[in-house]
Amino acid sequence: MNILVTGGAGFIGSHIADAYIEAGHHVVVIDDLSTGHKENVNPKVAFHKLDIRDPALQDLFESQPFDIVNHQAARGNVRASIEDPMIYADVNVRGGIRLLECCRRYAVKKIIYSSTGGCVYGELRYLPADEKHPIQPRDPYGASKASFELYLPVYKINYGLNYTILRYPNVYGPRQDPFGEAGVVSIFIGKMLCGAQAMINGDGEQKRDYIYVSDVVRANLKAMENGNNEVYNLGGGVGLSVNEIFRRLKAMTDYSLDEVHGPPKLGEVRNSYLDAKNAWRELGWEPMVSLNEGLLQTLEYFRPRITGSKK
């Protein structure tokens, strides 16, 4: 197949592009490199530095037919979205609609959309949350991702464009930015390997569902031919506290500093973990990488890049 991956220079998108290449597909990647990195891009893909809001997106679709569009591009920072909600609506909703219009005009068969289970549900009424849980985001990022979800059935009903929505939990692994705002695992690893103080927001007892990036990639592979016009949570269904993540990484890195707690962050939900039984039943997906295995693999990736040492 000919596949377009938006946000394909980013943490998750680049791993998805790699998997599609390995499966024998032709892959085109677009990314504006605002948070993605060119070095993440597989040399076998055709790369275009392009914002999904750019009218030139239509020229790309006109130049070649795409069978599938895998839409990973987004503004994805909860705290930044509170400070500048307009840009999140502009990129995640308006940019997404431009992408859908190109899919419609150029007969794309299917779009796979990465949404966020951690933010579209808001503060959960029950745990773990299934796909029927009310959508009640607490931040503009979650609101923008939930808003775009609503357009996908509209384009299916009116234009026959198939879709699968995958709601991600907290994804971690190689290529996540250890010096950015998103991803507590990579941030802790970055601080610990540098011997700097790792800060825990609030009391650290907030619970999250942590999934290794290769498991998310597998779901995106399965969604190519399955799960048409459905929404699926991804996750392990079990919440783990930020304090526990700190303690496990502290032991793995021989980190000498004790935990320090800062104020809780505005817009952050207390607990978020997801019921992914429907993904297991209908996509044949379940997480395969244990937390300790995933943490060790992530640590092995970052250690030589941050300290210059393999051990």
Side-chain angles (χ1 to χ4, degrees), residues 67-86:
D67 299 297
I68 290 177
V69 170
N70 188 299
H71 183 30
Q72 302 290 316
R75 290 291 180 112
N77 187 310
V78 169
R79 295 154 206 163
S81 76
I82 291 172
E83 295 173 2
D84 188 1
M86 291 295 291

Side-chain angles (χ1 to χ4, degrees), residues 73-301:
R75 290 291 180 112
N77 187 310
V78 169
R79 295 154 206 163
S81 76
I82 291 172
E83 295 173 2
D84 188 1
M86 291 295 291
I87 189 67
Y88 277 73
D90 193 43
V91 174
N92 296 351
V93 182
R94 180 171 167 268
I97 295 169
R98 182 179 292 279
L99 183 67
L100 285 177
E101 281 293 283
C102 288
C103 291
R104 171 181 73 84
R105 290 170 180 161
Y106 296 98
V108 171
K109 298 181 179 68
K110 183 171 186 177
I111 182 168
I112 300 169
Y113 174 53
S114 65
S115 190
T116 164
C119 290
V120 300
Y121 296 127
E123 201 64 69
L124 298 183
R125 298 181 184 179
Y126 56 87
L127 292 161
D130 57 24
E131 293 87 351
K132 294 180 180 179
H133 189 284
I135 301 298
Q136 47 188 22
R138 293 184 56 176
D139 61 85
Y141 164 62
S144 68
K145 296 294 281 185
S147 296
F148 183 70
E149 284 191 15
L150 298 175
Y151 283 87
L152 295 172
V154 170
Y155 275 72
K156 168 60 181 176
I157 292 166
N158 290 297
Y159 310 115
L161 175 62
N162 288 319
Y163 66 87
T164 300
I165 298 169
L166 300 175
R167 291 179 180 156
Y168 295 172
N170 281 46
V171 185
Y172 70 97
R175 301 180 193 162
Q176 194 169 32
D177 186 358
F179 305 110
E181 291 292 327
V184 68
V185 170
S186 62
I187 291 172
F188 280 174
I189 286 175
K191 294 291 187 183
M192 290 178 179
L193 291 179
C194 291
Q197 183 64 63
M199 182 71 68
I200 298 173
N201 300 324
D203 65 7
E205 286 304 304
Q206 57 269 37
K207 292 182 178 180
R208 300 289 183 268
D209 200 342
Y210 296 92
I211 294 295
Y212 190 64
V213 65
S214 66
D215 282 327
V216 171
V217 169
R218 287 176 43 251
N220 278 273
L221 286 167
K222 289 179 177 295
M224 292 176 65
E225 296 182 356
N226 299 290
N228 279 356
N229 314 312
E230 297 290 345
V231 181
Y232 297 104
N233 287 341
L234 303 183
V238 177
L240 203 68
S241 73
V242 175
N243 288 334
E244 179 62 22
I245 294 293
F246 178 93
R247 286 190 286 266
R248 293 195 190 197
L249 288 172
K250 178 182 171 74
M252 290 176 182
T253 58
D254 295 322
Y255 184 59
S256 61
L257 300 179
D258 292 328
E259 62 189 61
V260 172
H261 294 263
K265 295 295 183 178
L266 184 66
E268 192 172 74
V269 300
R270 182 65 178 173
N271 295 308
S272 177
Y273 42 102
L274 307 177
D275 182 337
K277 290 188 180 70
N278 286 336
W280 176 72
R281 293 189 195 101
E282 298 176 23
L283 294 181
W285 178 90
E286 61 182 336
M288 303 293 290
V289 180
S290 71
L291 180 64
N292 276 353
E293 181 185 354
L295 292 178
L296 286 169
Q297 290 183 21
T298 306
L299 185 57
E300 288 173 6
Y301 171 84

Side-chain angles (χ1 to χ4, degrees), residues 1-5 26-30 46 48 57-70 99 102-103 106-110 161:
M1 293 187 187
N2 198 29
I3 303 172
L4 174 66
V5 179
H26 179 263
V27 179
V28 177
V29 161
I30 63 171
H48 299 266
L57 183 65
Q58 182 169 326
D59 298 334
L60 178 63
F61 275 80
E62 194 167 309
S63 69
Q64 58 187 301
F66 293 111
D67 299 297
I68 290 177
V69 170
N70 188 299
L99 183 67
C102 288
C103 291
Y106 296 98
V108 171
K109 298 181 179 68
K110 183 171 186 177
L161 175 62

